[in-house]
């Protein structure tokens, strides 16, 4: 009887640490979350050096809930889009930058399961004629952000009559549209629609969307042990309706009302 009791106590002692094992984060008790350039509705805050102060947005709320479920506190940092998919050691645990999951990108980084589904959108300058079709769009001076699926679409599928202008940041791309250097910015629909809503007088209309059925995944170090743990949280956030509530909170836009360019 005594031996059985001792065995039971040992088994219990072994089981407790396993049940309360800390998540495999870079720094104990912290989830280092990276954001990139400000994106209306998704994530925006004050950048001070490599830190981001008081970020707010849909991705910030999702990251906060993930950290809470993992039992750690979120820490916010900035990392540029242009280095997001570069191979090598990351300075963050996870990064939310409206990054579309692609096979090419998955060669160098891990992606979580989708936390947002989107298509490509077209933001027009004030002087640009509204395209009725993809053929009309191809006649305009297009632009895109570097290393985006929008730029890839322009180059591989749209084949415009003029060479697309390429910008390193979304801020530079939006400025180009505002000053009419670029007539049509091809970028994710929720990003351009939210920017137009935030600054309605700065641009022409959102001229439509291109159905591409893209999914945003958060980015992690290739082979990160944290990936399945975050995936489990995201799955629950979809299942209990939290994702839908947060999208309505931060966007409240009906993208289905935009014309589809074919």
């Amino acid at each position: 009887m005594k031996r059985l009791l001792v065995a039971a106590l040992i088994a219990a002692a072994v089981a407790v640490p396993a049940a309360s094992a800390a998540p495999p984060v870079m720094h104990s008790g912290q989830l280092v979350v990276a954001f990139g350039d400000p994106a209306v509705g998704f994530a925006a805050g004050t950048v001070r050096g490599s830190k981001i102060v008081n970020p707010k947005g849909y991705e910030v709320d999702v990251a906060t809930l993930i950290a809470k479920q993992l039992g750690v506190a979120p820490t916010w940092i900035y990392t540029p889009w242009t280095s997001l998919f570069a191979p090598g050691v990351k300075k963050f645990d996870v990064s939310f930058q409206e990054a579309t999951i692609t096979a090419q990108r998955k060669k160098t980084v891990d992606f979580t399961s989708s936390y947002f589904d989107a298509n490509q959108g077209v933001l027009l300058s004030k002087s640009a004629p509204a395209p009725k079709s993809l053929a009309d769009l191809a006649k305009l001076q297009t632009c895109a952000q570097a290393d985006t699926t929008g730029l890839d679409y322009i180059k591989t599928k749209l084949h415009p009559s003029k060479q697309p202008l390429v910008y390193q940041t979304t801020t530079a791309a939006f400025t180009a549209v505002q000053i009419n250097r670029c007539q049509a910015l091809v970028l994710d629909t929720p990003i351009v629609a939210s920017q137009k809503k935030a600054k309605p007088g700065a641009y022409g209309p959102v001229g439509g969307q291109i159905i591409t059925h893209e999914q945003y995944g958060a980015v992690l170090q290739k082979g990160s042990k944290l990936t399945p743990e975050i995936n489990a949280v995201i799955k629950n956030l979809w299942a209990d309706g939290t994702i839908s509530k947060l999208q309505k909170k931060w966007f409240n836009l009906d993208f289905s009302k935009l014309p589809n360019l074919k």
Side-chain angles (χ1 to χ4, degrees):
M1 184 69 176
K2 186 176 180 180
R3 290 180 180 176
L4 289 174
L5 179 59
V6 171
L9 290 173
I10 293 174
V14 171
V16 170
S20 58
V25 291
M26 294 174 60
H27 305 293
S28 179
Q30 294 183 18
L31 182 70
V32 180
V33 182
F35 300 116
D37 299 322
V40 175
F42 283 99
T46 302
V47 179
R48 294 180 180 171
S50 62
K51 300 289 181 74
I52 296 181
V53 181
N54 297 325
K56 296 179 180 179
Y58 170 72
E59 290 174 322
V60 180
D61 283 358
V62 171
T64 299
L65 290 172
I66 289 172
K68 182 178 180 180
Q69 289 297 312
L70 294 178
V72 293
T75 299
W76 319 111
I77 68 169
Y78 172 84
T79 191
W81 170 264
T82 49
S83 66
L84 187 59
F85 308 112
V89 178
K90 302 300 181 187
K91 297 180 180 180
F92 53 78
D93 288 306
V94 61
S95 180
F96 289 81
Q97 293 200 42
E98 309 90 60
T100 297
I101 302 168
T102 69
Q104 181 64 32
R105 291 170 175 175
K106 288 173 73 173
K107 293 179 180 179
T108 55
V109 298
D110 268 9
F111 277 102
T112 65
S113 54
S114 174
Y115 64 88
F116 198 99
D117 299 337
N119 295 303
Q120 288 297 305
V122 179
L123 179 64
L124 302 173
S125 68
K126 288 183 177 180
S127 62
K132 304 293 185 183
S133 64
L134 291 174
D136 288 344
L137 177 61
K139 297 174 184 177
L140 302 179
Q141 175 60 70
T142 59
C143 66
Q145 185 180 3
D147 301 320
T148 61
T149 50
L151 179 60
D152 183 65
Y153 182 88
I154 292 173
K155 289 183 174 181
T156 63
K157 296 183 180 180
L158 185 64
H159 303 297
S161 57
K162 300 176 183 178
Q163 189 74 10
L165 304 175
V166 181
Y167 299 96
Q168 296 300 307
T169 67
T170 52
T171 301
F174 284 132
T175 298
V177 178
Q178 189 170 351
I179 64 176
N180 199 42
R181 182 171 295 158
C182 168
Q183 292 180 298
L185 169 62
V186 180
L187 191 64
D188 304 28
T189 298
I191 297 177
V192 297
S194 296
Q195 182 72 11
K196 170 63 178 178
K197 183 179 180 181
K199 297 183 176 181
Y203 317 97
V206 177
Q209 62 179 340
I210 304 164
I211 304 302
T212 52
H213 299 296
E214 298 177 41
Q215 294 183 313
Y216 294 166
V219 174
L220 300 95
Q221 176 88 35
K222 185 68 176 176
S224 174
K225 295 180 179 179
L226 195 57
T227 305
E229 297 197 21
I230 293 181
N231 279 343
V233 178
I234 291 176
K235 181 180 179 180
N236 289 336
L237 294 178
W238 277 108
D240 66 11
T242 299
I243 291 285
S244 297
K245 291 176 182 177
L246 290 179
Q247 290 182 359
K248 184 175 181 180
K249 169 187 174 183
W250 287 105
F251 302 103
N252 199 27
L253 293 168
D254 188 354
F255 305 125
S256 66
K257 292 183 178 180
L258 294 173
N260 294 334
L261 298 178
K262 300 178 182 179

